[in-house]
Amino acid sequence: MGKFGFAQKLKSLFGIYKSESDEFYDALTDALIEGDTGAATAVTLVDDLQKICREEKLSGREQVTQRLFLMLKEYVKQTSLEVQEGKVNVFLILGVNGVGKTTSAAKMAGLFKNKNVPVIMAASDTFRAAAVDQIALHGERLGIRVVKHQMGSDPGAVVFDAADACRAQGGGLVIADTAGRLHNKENLVNELKKIDRIASSKADEGCYKKILVVDATTGQNAVRQAEVFNEAVGVDAVILTKYDSTAKGGCIISMGKELSLPVAYVCTGEKYGDINSFDSETFLKEFLEMEQA
Ligand SMILES: Nc1nc2c(ncn2[C@@H]2O[C@H](COP(=O)(O)OP(=O)(O)OP(=O)(O)O)[C@@H](O)[C@H]2O)c(=O)[nH]1
Ligand SMILES: [Mg+2]
């Protein structure tokens, strides 16, 4: 099977396709759900698709797939994270434990360093043992400055100091790692709100981005996580990790449809270079196995 099991399934579904029958559309709904698109999203999407195809008299594999592509394009959005020169830019990295926050923070730090942006990493996961060391090691390898405090100290204070250091050097980018695990959700949300207040007050206007990291292998859980973080502090962009470990991509569709969250990067491995800007058209054409232009 190729990258997306869904595309194969879609192809075979056209074997039972008849323009006036529900059978194809029911099977399409199932295939989307299996591909990690949430049930609610899949049902609405396919209902709309069937209606539109009937109204516009579209039929057959090419026309129906093309229409589905156009509908999905409405949901799946991309965004690119820009840094304003000479300003204090802060990227706050959010996400539950183990999704790849620290790794993604380091990858992004590398990307922006290569664009000659002065980058500082803030070791604001002060909760987990060894988290500070982990980011310090990335800093050493990448040649990037890391602002850190002791384990157990206030994570907001780390962001505060990193932003001051950034301003003192004439601006740049602070990438702040956070802890994904606190004793309970309420604790986590309160902690995040505190860091959020500090980061937003320290960054220059329009230069603060909250970036949620989700693990593609967790499917619909990723969407639920996005909902929680979006409600708690708001999310500006998503990074999808571990895309090398799954053939499914439907959670991107649900996140777009249900929460209107755009994707900035997709990560496909543990190395610094395993990060790519997200392009919605390329993603969808791959998802549907359409010809690439
Ligand atoms: N295959 C693969 N592994 C990844 C990717 N991104 C991160 N990882 C691995 O996932 C594991 C967890 O990554 P971390 O960056 O430590 O995750 P985290 O969210 O910071 O974890 P906590 O700080 O414990 O909450 C590590 O073994 C990473 O190497 C990816 O895109 N693909
Ligand atoms: Mg971490």
Side-chain angles (χ1 to χ4, degrees), residues 93 95-106 122-138 148-155 158 177-183 188 191 195 242:
I93 310 295
V96 302
N97 60 291
V99 289
K101 290 180 300 299
T102 306
T103 310
S104 301
S124 21
D125 176 359
T126 58
F127 183 77
R128 184 170 66 82
V132 177
D133 294 339
Q134 190 189 354
I135 200 138
L137 186 63
H138 283 303
K148 55 184 182 180
H149 291 185
Q150 274 174 355
M151 195 193 122
S153 61
D154 176 16
V158 185
D177 194 19
T178 60
R181 129 184 49 197
L182 284 179
H183 298 298
L188 175 73
E191 184 80 55
I195 303 174
K242 309 192 191 181

Side-chain angles (χ1 to χ4, degrees), residues 83 89 91 105-122 139 142-147 162 165-166 169 171-176:
V83 166
N89 298 266
F91 291 174
K107 286 173 178 171
M108 285 175 74
L111 283 182
F112 282 94
K113 188 196 174 205
N114 287 342
K115 292 193 216 174
N116 295 318
V117 174
V119 181
I120 295 175
M121 289 194 283
L142 289 161
I144 287 171
R145 181 170 169 197
V146 174
V147 169
C166 180
Q169 68 179 22
L173 172 64
V174 172
I175 299 182

Side-chain angles (χ1 to χ4, degrees), residues 93-107 125 128-129 131 134 138 177-181 213-215 217 239-245 266-271 274-275:
I93 310 295
L94 306 165
V96 302
N97 60 291
V99 289
K101 290 180 300 299
T102 306
T103 310
S104 301
K107 286 173 178 171
D125 176 359
R128 184 170 66 82
Q134 190 189 354
H138 283 303
D177 194 19
T178 60
R181 129 184 49 197
V213 179
V214 296
D215 174 343
T217 64
I239 297 180
L240 192 76
T241 60
K242 309 192 191 181
Y243 209 44
D244 48 311
S245 312
V266 175
C267 296
T268 52
E270 301 185 76
K271 294 201 221 48
D274 296 330
I275 182 166

